[in-house]
Structure formats: C-alpha cells, structure tokens
Amino acid sequence: MEQPIWNFEEYASNVPGDETSVNLRAYFERMSDDRMREYSPSWTDQQRMEWDENFTSEGELLLPCSERDVDVGEYRAVLEECIKYRDKVRSTLVVSEDR
C-alpha cells in the first residue's frame, strides 16, 4: 500500500486518542483529496453515510480493528477536522511531492 502524503493520523487533535480515534484519522488520511473535496458540511447525516458508503444500516462506520463504534456525528467532526488540516498543509505537501 502506498503511504499517503498526509500525516493526519499523527496530527495534533483536540480529542484524546484511543485506538478507534487513531483508526478513524488513518481512515481519512487514506481518503483521496478529490473525494474529500466533494464533501459538504451542509449534508444531512443520511447524505454523509450515502457519500461514504461504508456505514452500517444502524448508522455506524465500518472501521476494522476498532474497540468502539463510530457514529456519523463523530465521523463528521473528525472529517471536518481533517479537511481543515489538509487545507492548511496542502500547498506545502503537494509542492513537495511534485519535486
């Protein structure tokens, strides 16, 4: 597997990290930038789940090797944090990768 250019998994978070929160950050780290840019904060929870296509019918993210469930609220909060992180570092990382 090719390592992503992002380092969101290790980027400082305001949320204390357990195994599940680290896995969720890694999940977003591996999501393509084009895909992530499709996301809209105005979407309903149902729209978010349909966009990702990796949620159970009970509304939990299918996240392997995790000790707890991730609901759409936590998903949204961490995804939006990841988007802010990428917006902050994108120009530096994308330029560095092209060299």
Side-chain angles (χ1 to χ4, degrees), residues 3-55:
Q3 284 296 90
I5 61 171
W6 316 103
N7 192 17
F8 183 64
E9 184 179 349
E10 296 178 12
Y11 182 71
S13 173
N14 298 332
V15 179
D18 62 7
E19 179 183 50
T20 303
S21 64
V22 171
N23 288 345
L24 182 57
R25 295 171 77 76
Y27 178 82
F28 288 131
E29 185 172 284
R30 286 168 175 73
M31 185 179 285
S32 78
D33 206 35
D34 289 340
R35 179 80 170 141
M36 193 168 285
R37 287 179 170 195
E38 294 172 359
Y39 173 77
S40 173
S42 65
W43 286 346
T44 65
D45 288 348
Q46 186 62 39
Q47 288 172 307
R48 283 183 197 101
M49 291 186 291
E50 290 170 3
W51 171 75
D52 187 284
E53 300 177 337
N54 202 21
F55 279 84

Side-chain angles (χ1 to χ4, degrees), residues 69-85:
D69 293 331
V70 174
D71 65 23
V72 72
E74 179 180 5
Y75 175 95
R76 177 185 46 79
V78 178
L79 173 59
E80 291 177 7
E81 182 183 358
C82 184
I83 290 169
K84 287 177 187 173
Y85 161 78

